[in-house]
Amino acid sequence: MKAIEIGQTGPAVEDVQHRLMLIGHLTEDQVTGSYDEATAQAVRAFCRNVGVPESSEVTEKVWAALVDASYSLGDRTLYLRMPYFHGHDVLELQQALGALGFAVGHEDAIFGAYTEMALRKFQLNLGLPSDGIAGAYTYAALRNLHHSWEGKGAAHAPLHLGFARAADVLEANALCLFGTDGFARSVASRMSNLALATNPASKIVSADALSVAPDDRMLLVHVAVQGAPVEEAVPAVDCTDDEGLSLRLKTAIAAARAARPARITLALPSQMWEDAGADRSAQHFAITLLDALCLALSE
């Protein structure tokens, strides 16, 4: 982007000033749409506060930091991905969860694995779908509990991840995930993304992320929707979300490893989880399948 500097006017300048006002560096009457000395001083002060090289101009780096700083809780849907979501809204989510007794680790404004775990525990505690996605229902629940967390510090607890993918299973098992339709490819890609977001040394990757063909040491995992064509004689797992899923996966993996290449099929029940949309459904299935796979591989 072209830097915004003193003397410029227009909607872009007004947007910068509005964001500076939201985070307390300008007053409402200083949002004029004209980049004056007061705006430049506010930009310099903002840079100092967030650790960006001090500048009077709004460069691409300053703009990115300003956007992050001006998000408020509920402005966007948050979930574990790579690259991580980061920003003021993530920090507010961490502070709320921490004050309610769900440890997020460090309150660093980065939506990482600890924040996802805390969010899932919070959702389970309130009877919400425990999908690790901060969306409309989660934000509504947090707003209803605002008196219990606003202005209060976190209840600190030891850093510990209780789900199987937090163990070394991610870097000890090489899996190549792939789908043969758009929805299945999205689930496979999200599973890879979640694995990398949990452990950057993960060897669980999607075929789309591979630069070379998978080798014989990799377990090939075909993600498909029930009813889609699948290869015969390949162990297939009914991926209905229940307590037996990890056991069914373990059995299929053991059978698959007797052949080369080792391959299993994960049969999703549908392309829709409850009444969620395509993206939310794909994320739910990705979380469920990755956790069940890791549990099966760790036993």
Side-chain angles (χ1 to χ4, degrees), residues 233-245:
V234 172
V237 181
D238 173 10
C239 292
T240 305
D241 186 5
D242 57 37
E243 293 181 356
L245 177 55

Side-chain angles (χ1 to χ4, degrees), residues 60-296:
E60 187 170 353
K61 190 170 186 178
V62 173
W63 172 251
L66 188 57
V67 169
D68 278 348
S70 53
Y71 278 123
S72 294
L73 188 66
D75 283 351
R76 55 182 175 168
T77 300
L78 301 170
Y79 51 90
L80 185 61
R81 67 167 196 185
M82 185 66 76
Y84 298 124
F85 280 110
H86 53 87
H88 186 66
D89 55 339
V90 178
L91 178 61
E92 288 183 309
L93 176 63
Q94 291 175 327
Q95 291 171 337
L97 291 172
L100 290 168
F102 301 93
V104 298
H106 301 295
E107 293 180 358
D108 54 7
I110 298 172
F111 195 110
Y114 289 110
T115 301
E116 186 222 23
M117 181 193 70
L119 177 58
R120 291 175 69 179
K121 286 185 175 180
F122 168 76
Q123 291 170 326
L124 187 65
N125 194 257
L126 269 70
L128 298 171
S130 182
D131 56 10
I133 302 171
Y137 292 117
T138 298
Y139 292 135
L142 286 170
R143 282 192 291 271
N144 289 338
L145 294 169
H146 71 94
H147 58 281
S148 298
W149 58 265
E150 281 185 344
K152 299 180 181 179
H156 293 287
L159 299 185
H160 175 72
L161 288 177
F163 41 77
R165 64 180 147 100
D168 61 2
V169 64
L170 289 171
E171 50 187 297
N173 294 272
L175 276 66
C176 177
L177 310 160
F178 67 96
T180 48
D181 64 69
F183 183 77
R185 284 195 296 271
S186 175
V187 173
S189 177
R190 289 165 186 267
M191 289 172 70
S192 172
N193 204 324
L194 283 163
L196 287 169
T198 305
N199 186 339
S202 171
K203 294 179 182 176
I204 298 179
V205 298
S206 69
D208 293 341
L210 286 176
S211 56
V212 295
D215 59 36
D216 284 345
R217 293 170 296 176
M218 298 190 100
L219 172 65
L220 304 181
V221 180
H222 178 196
V223 182
V225 178
Q226 283 186 358
V230 296
E231 189 173 330
E232 292 184 7
V234 172
V237 181
D238 173 10
C239 292
T240 305
D241 186 5
D242 57 37
E243 293 181 356
L245 177 55
S246 64
L247 183 59
R248 295 196 298 274
L249 285 166
K250 183 178 181 180
T251 303
I253 291 169
R257 283 181 167 159
R260 283 291 181 270
R263 178 169 172 171
I264 64 172
T265 296
L266 306 184
L268 301 174
S270 69
Q271 292 191 14
M272 187 66 68
W273 170 64
E274 296 186 352
D275 294 324
D279 287 344
R280 194 178 181 90
S281 295
Q283 186 73 7
H284 168 77
F285 287 132
I287 292 170
T288 300
L289 293 182
L290 182 61
D291 283 352
L293 261 176
C294 288
L295 186 59

